[in-house]
Amino acid sequence: MISLRVAIIQTEGCHCEIRKPANMLRHIQIHTIASRKAAVDLIQNGLVRGISQSLQCRRPEVELTSVRYPGVRRGNYAQLSDRHVQHFRSILPKERVITETEDVAGYNVDWLRMVRGVSQIVLKPKITEEVSAILEYCNAENLAVCPQGGNTGLVGGSVPVFDEVIISTSLMNSIVSLDELSGILVCQAGCILENLESYLSERGFMMPLDLGAKGTCQIGGNVSTNAGGIRLIRYGSLQGSVLGIEAVKADGEVIDCLSSLKKDNTGYHLKHLFIGSEGTLGIVTKVSIQCPPSPKAVNVAFLGLDSFDDILRTFTEARSGLGEILSSCEMMDLLSLDAATSNLKLQRPIGEFPFYMLIETSGSNGTHDEEKLTKFLETLMANGVVRDGTVASEPSRIKLMWNLREGITGGLLHDGYVYKYDISLPHNSFYAIIPELRTLLPADKVGRICGYGHVGDGNLHLNITTPKFDPDVLKIIEPFVFEWTSKLKGSVSAEHGIGFKKTQYIHFSKSQSSLNLMVNIKKLMDPKGILNPYKVLPAQH
Amino acid sequence: MARVLVGVKRVIDYAVKIRVKPDKTAVVTDGVKHSMNPFDEIAIEEAVRLKEKKIAQEIVAVSCGPAQSQETLRTALAMGVDRGIHVEISGPEYDTLQPIHVSKILAKLAQEEKTDLIIVGKQAIDDDSNQTAQMTAALLGWPQGTFASKIEKQNDELQVTREIDGGLETIKIKLPAVISADLRLNEPRYATLPNIMKAKKKPIKKVSPKDLGVDTAARIEVLSVEDPPTRQAGVILPDVDQLIIKLKEGGHVP
């Protein structure tokens, strides 16, 4: 038997787990070394024959939420025991009850790598009845749960804070029906948005919402967070397009308000309890949603402008000049676009300008739309409001332009740690916070301060990046950003929701009486408080 | 060099899902979004760069196809081409148009327009023929630099770096010559608004194959067009022993 020497390079801050297959224990010697140089030495000495790189080990482990936020206390919930695990294994087949640490690890960290919980179990139901059985049991046993869809949320709402049982909807991914006359789609909560979009586009329809996370986010999560996105300006919010919901309450009772009717005023509209409550009032298991017909003609213009005032002028012109065909109106500043082009190696379509806009039109007549768009652009260019731009109707070109806008969020992650804010402001004061922050934040500590977003909806995504998480930088930013927003009567969370990160800031945008009513509704729907604790509502004193 | 001729083809946009007609005679093109063949965009970009470096004086874009090919020529003009030539071919004549016909057309035009360099994309993304550059060069008796990833002018010659299976091959060819553009030759620019507006005023000359003395009679007959077979799902096996059994059952191992 050949003896194998394995050298593992463990760099600082890195977490590596070494697993040796049991029958090879005698024959593998493992050396942990601190640097590539040491590895090269081993090779040169003939002690090691090759190097294999594992990217998993190179990413630094995310700090535990309970460590980074020591003020948050674990609620009086039960601890997960073997008896509990046995029971779950009696409800679900073994491959849908995940308890291996390495397998659970991914579910404990959010997409932004800002928060990490210590859950020891992930349950993957396939049907509503299984969700009901799981919740009934957890409620009886006082086990806290964390519902999880695509885990693409940006406020730490989709992962446990402590050891909550993770209930993943990923396997609840069937499409129940599509009525091709009315465009009403009924599907399970775990359907991925992009998959729904592909299904619908083959039948002449489209989803009424679109966001950068479409390849991973699930419709249940979108509905639970009342996701906004890049088409809200045209198709409205989910509060309008969701016709019905099937959800499971904390005690396991299934609430079926999944009516697929455009008009149904028979009693309280219970579906609204679940839209936007971020999994704290119930787990959404099915959705019925009104889908618009696919547009026959889509055009996208990518424009370069000199000032934010020019952006406002362009938006005003777009609203009247493009009118009913306007389907998206986005802005980004130079640093935001740079996050996408430099960090993700994408090509910039036009020269360098302080501001950029992406305007999309969708209509039923290509010639009509192109004429409108051309006239709109020619006027703005003649007036110097728009300095340069490019326009396209080919799907491949349109995709490239959208990649620039949708790539900003991912591109920013390459900078290090991202302090992300999502605020709604009156249009005139939309961008002013950024020059203000530039004066407040020390240039040597901060990487990028930039803003981009749905200018058509008055929604700014403010982002500040630092190479590593820096509590001093955080102190300068918060509560300044929230106070600023509150003074202008804006929203401290336009579309991202409250999640874990913003519970103490709701009061900046909601009155005390509103908050009190929210607490009462929560007590009614979930008396034991097991559904997604530590999220949305501020901790009770 | 005075004049560069660039061939561009209007193809179904690569982001569009291709559908086969129910009668299996062709792919659905009605109402489907088309755009310039991506390799031809690279060819145009290279020609425009030659003009910007003052190596070329005039760039002419050519497209063979139905009326909508003019849109493709407008895109070329918006990227910096000086004028366009639309060789109008439509209907069944267009359905059976082959690289051999296109090469004869390009060769004739090159002679008429006193061209020094022809650049085309290495292949079209709809037929993947990869024949036009080579045939055009042969018809004209000109040297060819195909799959070009770099072009440098040295006196009256071109040094062309070609992407081949083994790596990169660098050749020197005399002008006039034919080049076919490969992926890494350049990254094409976006046509910007001022240029799109300027392009509307640039001339596009319409000619027919007959005017050029080229016979576009069909040399092929399309028998059928079908979807590729759908991919079969794989099977997850619990261990190596099961894998060996399955492989033996399938006759893949003795």
Side-chain angles (χ1 to χ4, degrees):
Chain A
M1 252 298 170
I2 299 168
S3 180
L4 200 66
R5 268 198 203 88
V6 175
I8 296 173
I9 308 171
Q10 231 168 326
T11 50
E12 197 190 292
C14 173
H15 173 78
C16 284
E17 262 187 37
I18 301 162
R19 283 194 299 174
K20 292 192 269 192
N23 63 350
M24 296 179 88
L25 264 173
R26 278 184 300 130
H27 307 288
I28 296 186
Q29 287 179 353
I30 298 200
H31 304 258
T32 307
I33 50 183
S35 69
R36 288 186 77 95
K37 183 178 180 305
V40 170
D41 285 340
L42 281 176
I43 292 184
Q44 284 176 335
N45 294 334
L47 292 171
V48 164
R49 306 241 308 268
I51 295 185
S52 158
Q53 253 181 5
S54 168
L55 288 171
Q56 292 264 55
C57 286
R58 271 143 125 249
R59 257 180 142 184
E61 192 65 269
V62 179
E63 197 174 22
L64 285 178
T65 308
S66 48
V67 169
R68 188 171 281 179
Y69 301 91
V72 180
R73 265 194 209 210
R74 186 185 183 281
N76 223 353
Y77 305 106
Q79 299 270 8
L80 187 74
S81 70
D82 283 335
R83 181 176 58 87
H84 296 135
V85 178
Q86 288 298 73
H87 183 90
F88 291 133
R89 288 197 202 281
S90 72
I91 313 177
L92 301 175
K94 66 172 165 61
E95 65 270 11
R96 298 204 266 127
V97 177
I98 303 172
T99 50
E100 290 285 303
T101 322
E102 315 84 60
D103 297 329
V104 173
Y107 296 84
N108 268 311
V109 184
D110 72 325
W111 186 79
L112 281 176
R113 299 181 66 76
M114 288 189 303
V115 284
R116 182 160 72 99
V118 286
S119 173
Q120 297 152 56
I121 188 168
V122 178
L123 303 173
K124 293 185 128 183
K126 268 192 166 167
I127 51 176
T128 307
E129 289 72 13
E130 287 170 352
V131 178
S132 173
I134 293 168
L135 280 180
E136 189 180 356
Y137 182 72
C138 288
N139 194 43
E141 294 288 315
N142 200 25
L143 280 167
V145 307
C146 174
Q148 188 179 98
N151 194 9
T152 56
L154 303 172
V155 285
S158 53
V159 296
V161 175
F162 295 97
D163 56 343
E164 299 90 281
V165 171
I166 298 173
I167 302 177
S168 165
T169 52
S170 296
L171 294 181
M172 300 177 67
N173 55 10
S174 321
I175 292 174
V176 176
S177 67
L178 170 66
D179 180 335
E180 302 210 16
L181 195 59
S182 61
I184 295 175
L185 172 77
V186 181
C187 64
Q188 285 189 302
C191 291
I192 293 175
L193 187 60
E194 195 167 56
N195 293 350
L196 291 174
E197 182 69 41
S198 308
Y199 174 85
L200 288 169
S201 76
E202 288 184 7
R203 291 155 180 82
F205 290 96
M206 61 180 278
M207 287 300 280
L209 84 162
D210 196 5
L211 42 151
K214 69 191 98 176
T216 316
C217 67
Q218 298 170 12
I219 191 66
N222 291 146
V223 167
S224 301
T225 55
N226 191 29
I230 52 185
R231 298 223 164 85
L232 191 135
I233 192 173
R234 167 73 167 261
Y235 299 110
S237 88
L238 284 174
Q239 283 159 334
S241 9
V242 171
L243 301 176
I245 285 181
E246 178 199 72
V248 182
K249 278 173 58 205
D251 62 6
E253 188 183 357
V254 178
I255 301 289
D256 179 358
C257 40
L258 192 63
S259 88
S260 306
L261 301 166
K262 195 81 204 244
K263 301 174 81 166
D264 179 16
N265 280 348
T266 51
Y268 300 163
H269 287 268
L270 295 176
K271 65 180 188 229
H272 285 295
L273 283 171
F274 305 106
I275 302 177
S277 54
E278 306 184 40
T280 56
L281 296 181
I283 297 186
V284 172
T285 47
K286 285 204 192 81
V287 172
S288 106
I289 188 163
Q290 174 73 69
C291 300
S294 280
K296 297 223 177 51
V298 178
N299 287 288
V300 172
F302 195 90
L303 312 172
L305 306 100
D306 275 335
S307 71
F308 188 73
D309 281 336
D310 288 333
I311 291 188
L312 289 180
R313 264 178 231 127
T314 307
F315 167 58
T316 316
E317 258 313 306
R319 236 204 340 235
S320 60
L322 297 174
E324 73 284 359
I325 63 169
L326 181 66
S327 56
S328 209
C329 188
E330 302 284 307
M331 66 79 62
M332 61 211 94
D333 58 15
L334 179 58
L335 283 175
S336 303
L337 182 62
D338 179 70
T341 52
S342 307
N343 289 346
L344 301 178
K345 309 274 175 286
L346 299 173
Q347 186 191 7
R348 202 181 51 210
I350 54 180
E352 260 190 25
F353 294 96
F355 291 96
Y356 298 92
M357 283 181 86
L358 189 155
I359 294 180
E360 183 191 78
T361 66
S362 301
S364 52
N365 185 324
T367 329
H368 163 265
D369 289 1
E370 267 171 57
E371 242 179 75
K372 254 171 130 135
L373 187 57
T374 311
K375 185 153 178 287
F376 165 75
L377 293 171
E378 279 175 3
T379 315
L380 287 172
M381 284 216 60
N383 296 339
V385 174
V386 168
R387 288 282 312 285
D388 198 5
T390 183
V391 66
S393 61
E394 299 92 340
S396 56
R397 283 247 172 251
I398 289 175
K399 228 181 232 173
L400 287 171
M401 288 194 264
W402 271 115
N403 282 349
L404 290 163
R405 162 63 183 87
E406 293 184 316
I408 298 174
T409 315
L412 285 168
L413 281 182
H414 286 246
D415 279 1
Y417 185 87
V418 184
Y419 307 82
K420 191 175 278 290
Y421 301 92
D422 163 47
I423 48 187
S424 260
L425 293 163
H427 279 106
N428 282 323
S429 358
F430 195 79
Y431 195 75
I433 194 173
I434 292 184
E436 187 66 34
L437 276 168
R438 291 215 172 103
T439 61
L440 288 173
L441 288 165
D444 57 339
K445 282 194 167 187
V446 165
R448 206 188 290 261
I449 304 170
C450 63
Y452 60 96
H454 320 290
V455 65
D457 310 321
N459 181 193
L460 177 75
H461 292 314
L462 168 66
N463 285 262
I464 299 126
T465 64
T466 50
K468 271 201 325 243
F469 174 68
D470 187 340
D472 295 332
V473 169
L474 185 63
K475 269 205 216 66
I476 303 176
I477 304 173
E478 293 179 20
F480 169 75
V481 168
F482 303 126
E483 285 167 350
W484 174 283
T485 307
S486 184
K487 238 187 295 178
L488 294 165
K489 303 237 188 313
S491 162
V492 294
S493 189
E495 58 179 7
H496 291 171
I498 298 295
F500 170 76
K501 298 292 291 291
K502 296 185 188 168
T503 54
Q504 329 88 282
Y505 304 116
I506 298 190
H507 70 275
F508 279 106
S509 296
K510 283 279 183 323
S511 65
Q512 191 55 50
S513 55
S514 308
L515 272 168
N516 291 343
L517 185 53
M518 287 188 218
V519 170
N520 288 337
I521 294 174
K522 169 73 172 174
K523 277 204 196 95
L524 175 72
M525 305 269 306
D526 179 16
K528 289 191 174 176
I530 63 162
L531 289 175
N532 223 7
Y534 325 109
K535 317 270 175 65
V536 185
L537 295 175
Q540 299 286 285
H541 295 292
Chain B
M1 77 188 78
R3 195 167 288 130
V4 180
L5 192 71
V6 186
V8 296
K9 185 179 181 185
R10 176 180 178 263
V11 297
I12 295 178
D13 186 86
Y14 70 77
V16 169
K17 185 158 190 243
I18 304 290
R19 243 169 260 285
V20 176
K21 278 196 195 155
D23 61 5
K24 293 205 180 159
T25 54
V27 150
V28 178
T29 52
D30 270 343
V32 173
K33 269 283 167 204
H34 286 65
S35 56
M36 190 191 294
N37 182 38
F39 293 107
D40 298 344
E41 281 180 355
I42 297 173
I44 295 274
E45 175 66 25
E46 197 61 22
V48 173
R49 288 189 190 186
L50 287 173
K51 185 173 174 198
E52 285 169 348
K53 286 188 221 157
K54 303 222 193 298
I55 296 173
Q57 268 73 61
E58 193 194 29
I59 309 168
V60 184
V62 182
S63 191
C64 306
Q68 298 100 313
S69 291
Q70 294 212 20
E71 289 162 18
T72 312
L73 285 170
R74 287 282 165 218
T75 308
L77 292 169
M79 284 174 73
V81 163
D82 297 300
R83 55 187 172 87
I85 299 176
H86 174 212
V87 183
E88 183 147 29
I89 306 168
S90 54
E93 197 190 356
Y94 183 61
D95 292 336
T96 54
L97 193 71
Q98 287 285 292
I100 182 78
H101 304 120
V102 176
S103 332
K104 288 180 179 169
I105 291 171
L106 287 181
K108 192 71 200 310
L109 281 170
Q111 285 163 330
E112 276 186 12
E113 297 283 338
K114 301 206 197 331
T115 307
D116 301 289
L117 178 65
I118 300 177
I119 314 181
V120 293
K122 71 169 178 181
Q123 63 197 59
I125 59 171
D126 51 7
D127 56 25
D128 283 342
S129 293
N130 182 9
Q131 297 167 7
T132 306
Q134 294 87 336
M135 286 200 238
T136 310
L139 287 167
L140 289 165
W142 291 3
Q144 56 184 259
T146 52
F147 316 118
S149 65
K150 193 161 176 202
I151 306 173
E152 286 165 309
K153 183 152 188 290
Q154 287 168 1
N155 308 314
D156 272 333
E157 295 181 321
L158 286 181
Q159 186 166 285
V160 182
T161 308
R162 307 178 56 230
E163 297 210 8
I164 59 173
D165 287 346
L168 297 173
E169 177 190 69
T170 310
I171 59 171
K172 226 189 281 202
I173 53 176
K174 285 200 173 72
L175 289 169
V178 179
I179 302 274
S180 82
D182 207 329
L183 194 63
R184 278 159 280 269
L185 180 58
N186 59 50
E187 205 169 5
R189 66 194 61 193
Y190 282 75
T192 57
L193 289 171
N195 291 324
I196 294 173
M197 297 198 283
K198 264 190 250 166
K200 293 197 183 142
K201 303 199 186 82
K202 292 184 185 174
I204 295 182
K205 185 167 78 171
K206 211 156 52 157
V207 299
S208 75
K210 238 194 333 195
D211 296 338
L212 302 169
V214 175
D215 179 11
T216 53
R219 295 163 65 110
I220 59 162
E221 185 194 340
V222 175
L223 297 175
S224 87
V225 178
E226 288 170 26
D227 275 303
T230 45
R231 211 168 147 212
Q232 295 299 313
V235 177
I236 295 181
L237 299 166
D239 54 40
V240 176
D241 296 319
Q242 274 299 305
L243 175 62
I244 294 175
I245 294 173
K246 276 267 180 214
L247 288 172
K248 284 193 172 156
E249 271 174 14
H252 304 292
V253 294

